[in-house]
Amino acid sequence: MTMNVNQGVLKKAIGIGLTAVMGGSLLAGCSSDSKNNTADGGSAAGGDSAERVTLKVEVFDRGNSPAPYTITNNYLTKLVQERFGDPNNIDVEFVPIQRSEEVTKLNVLMASNSDVPDIVFTYDSSVFYRYAQQGGLTDVGALLDEYGPNLKKFIGEDTLAFGQLEGKQFAIPGKRAITGRYSSYIRQDWLDKLGLPVPTTTDELYTTLKAFKEKDPGGLGSKNIPMGMALAPAQFETLIYSFMKPVSGDLTYGQRYELPLHEGFKEAMQFLNKLYNEGLISKDFSLDEDKTQLAKDIQNGNIGYWSEDVDVLFYADGTLDNLYKNVQGSKVLPVDVLTNAKVDNKHIKSRYASNGMYIMIPKSSKRAVEAVKYLDWMASDNNLIDMYSGVEGENYDLVDGIPVVKADAPQEIVDRIYNAGDMAIISNGKNIGDQATNEKAWVSGFPERNQETLKQSIAIANTDTVGPLVFGKPIEAESQYGTTLNDKLAVIIVKTAMVKPEEFETVYEQEMKDYMSLGGAKLKEELEQALKELPAQ
């Protein structure tokens, strides 16, 4: 479930691709055809005529199709054709796009009047906004009202808002099943050995970390790391949120590179500087952007406390299993420790937005009606569960209404839904019901030995969360300066953490001055203006 280096690369590709491809050619390629399209951008016949039509749907190709399947010919593509396509006189054609090249390839397709699929998608809001601003997308508002009642009900008005620009519905956001994001963990066996209670505040955590360093309960010597740290969001974002003040109620700016603009960011950097200079965090965290070293240190039993994505420890033969195998008597306890003095000492942490990908219908599509019907079919009856979970009794058993994965299912049965996440595009994760139900279904897919600890982790991830604001219009400075400012955020974190305490103030002020000159000032101005224009929360 987790901006990293790959996202930075994608954003650079966005900038290059959009500049080269979309500067006019997008509008030419995606202009409305009045002879074939209705005012909504869809087929007048809407799939109800005797003529058999083709609906083209983008699909991510991750290069992981197990034999005998291919990304365009597999169990789920056949299921879609048999259940949706054939009854509606539609041939559903899946158009593969390599996941690693999605933005660049999508830009090229969107510039084409004939090759672009009828359903495309992206996870990047700036790409969606750019297409909408360029006039390249169908306004699906009226189509949803007429052909997508199940889809509208499934997505919900709050999540649909993520796909709107100036009041028009230019994208159908996928619905995220689970919004919990981060949790923290402590070595219970270390606490027990030192006779220490579980810390519940930031100050208590600091005292505990000092004890871990000075008394070395793991007998690790120079390998002892009281607090695990990496230059990755699950670690630095968790720390920063515990110091910063949200912008409006339980909402704040949604992009990570906006963190330096928040009240409390400086205090977070000061605390990180204190931890680093006192030898309480991973010494080489600045070199560990992908968390590889952090995971190794956890599994080898070298770390006493750390934060992580809510689920990442608990997979079979993963971090937690390996720690318990490597270190006899080790015990990990999920904890909610960091307290925010600016928000009533709550355990503030970020949550995911309720939306997943942005599903779009190009303006040039002659199959907008069929496209909405397809997405509505997916949201109807048992279709979404069947796409995600497979066949009851073979892939899963239904327990109290929850599809529980059969641990003993043969590999050929498991393989039939290998691409479920990329086919069930209206859902990010398994949407079975409300979030509590979704969480039960999610937990059931993990090894039984780890499920109770995962439940504790999820409960913490859902506590005192802050979500992203929805402005309903693009923040131009984000697409213009986002990549640069994201890189600069990493520089600020590293430089201010590693400098001597007496030099912190000077270095912080210089780095923030650079940040503002690199686009931060423009971003701040635009965000504050957008905030003023929002309806009262």
Side-chain angles (χ1 to χ4, degrees), residues 4 22 34 51 105 159 173 194 219 224 253 276 331 366 392 414 423 449 497 500 517 532 537:
N4 56 27
M22 296 180 64
S34 60
E51 177 189 2
K105 179 65 174 177
T159 302
L194 299 180
N224 178 22
Y253 301 136
Y276 184 84
K331 178 66 175 176
K366 299 177 177 62
E392 184 178 358
V414 174
M423 289 288 289
R449 60 185 175 276
K500 294 179 180 178
S517 68
K532 292 177 183 177
Q537 297 293 316

Side-chain angles (χ1 to χ4, degrees), residues 16-308:
I16 296 171
L18 292 177
T19 301
V21 177
M22 296 180 64
S25 59
L26 172 63
L27 288 172
C30 295
S31 60
S32 173
D33 181 347
S34 60
K35 294 182 180 179
N36 295 290
N37 288 9
T38 68
D40 297 319
S43 162
D48 294 327
S49 68
E51 177 189 2
R52 193 169 182 91
V53 299
T54 297
L55 177 69
K56 295 183 179 181
V57 181
E58 177 186 351
V59 64
F60 281 147
D61 185 356
R62 302 178 188 270
N64 63 338
S65 298
Y69 298 132
T70 68
I71 196 60
T72 58
N73 185 11
N74 53 66
Y75 173 83
L76 290 178
T77 60
K78 292 177 181 177
L79 181 148
V80 167
Q81 184 59 50
E82 292 171 4
R83 291 197 190 176
F84 169 75
D86 292 342
N88 290 284
N89 214 19
I90 297 170
D91 290 321
V92 184
E93 177 184 329
F94 289 93
V95 180
I97 293 181
Q98 286 189 357
R99 179 67 175 96
S100 60
E101 300 176 2
E102 63 143 320
V103 174
T104 304
K105 179 65 174 177
L106 186 56
N107 287 339
V108 174
L109 289 173
M110 287 292 287
S112 167
N113 197 32
S114 57
D115 293 334
V116 63
D118 302 293
I119 294 177
V120 297
F121 43 75
T122 183
Y123 281 104
D124 195 299
S125 61
S126 66
V127 174
F128 154 60
Y129 280 132
R130 185 62 61 91
Y131 290 160
Q133 285 180 309
Q134 292 280 347
L137 301 178
T138 299
D139 178 357
V140 298
L143 291 172
L144 284 174
D145 289 339
E146 186 170 357
Y147 300 105
N150 299 297
L151 181 61
K152 284 188 69 175
K153 182 179 179 180
F154 172 76
I155 301 295
E157 293 296 331
D158 290 345
T159 302
L160 281 171
F162 284 92
Q164 295 170 4
L165 174 64
E166 297 178 353
K168 294 185 177 181
Q169 193 77 46
F170 286 114
I172 300 166
K175 181 180 179 180
R176 188 179 290 277
I178 294 167
T179 58
R181 195 166 193 172
Y182 302 130
S183 186
S184 299
Y185 310 90
I186 201 163
R187 286 284 296 277
Q188 178 70 64
D189 54 311
W190 284 20
L191 293 175
D192 293 343
K193 190 168 186 179
L194 299 180
L196 295 174
V198 177
T200 60
T201 68
T202 302
D203 288 343
E204 290 177 6
L205 173 64
Y206 173 72
T207 300
T208 302
L209 295 178
K210 293 280 286 185
F212 283 173
K213 176 178 173 60
E214 294 165 1
K215 299 180 180 180
D216 191 13
L220 297 164
S222 61
K223 294 181 180 179
N224 178 22
I225 304 172
M227 174 175 166
M229 186 70 186
L231 191 58
Q235 287 73 53
F236 67 71
E237 190 173 299
T238 306
L239 181 68
I240 293 170
Y241 265 70
S242 73
F243 282 87
M244 77 179 207
K245 184 178 180 180
V247 173
S248 176
D250 69 342
L251 299 174
T252 195
Y253 301 136
Q255 302 294 344
R256 190 163 292 122
Y257 45 76
E258 298 161 350
L259 289 173
L261 300 177
H262 284 88
E263 180 182 341
F265 178 75
K266 181 178 181 180
E267 290 94 324
M269 295 300 97
Q270 284 179 311
F271 186 61
L272 186 61
N273 175 268
K274 180 179 182 179
L275 296 176
Y276 184 84
N277 277 279
E278 294 184 13
L280 300 179
I281 64 173
S282 306
K283 181 179 180 181
D284 296 322
F285 81 91
S286 65
L287 305 177
D288 193 19
E289 292 185 68
D290 62 1
K291 302 187 290 188
T292 298
Q293 188 59 49
L294 177 71
K296 288 180 180 178
D297 284 328
I298 295 170
Q299 293 176 56
N300 289 330
N302 298 337
I303 293 178
Y305 167 87
W306 67 98
S307 297
E308 187 50 283

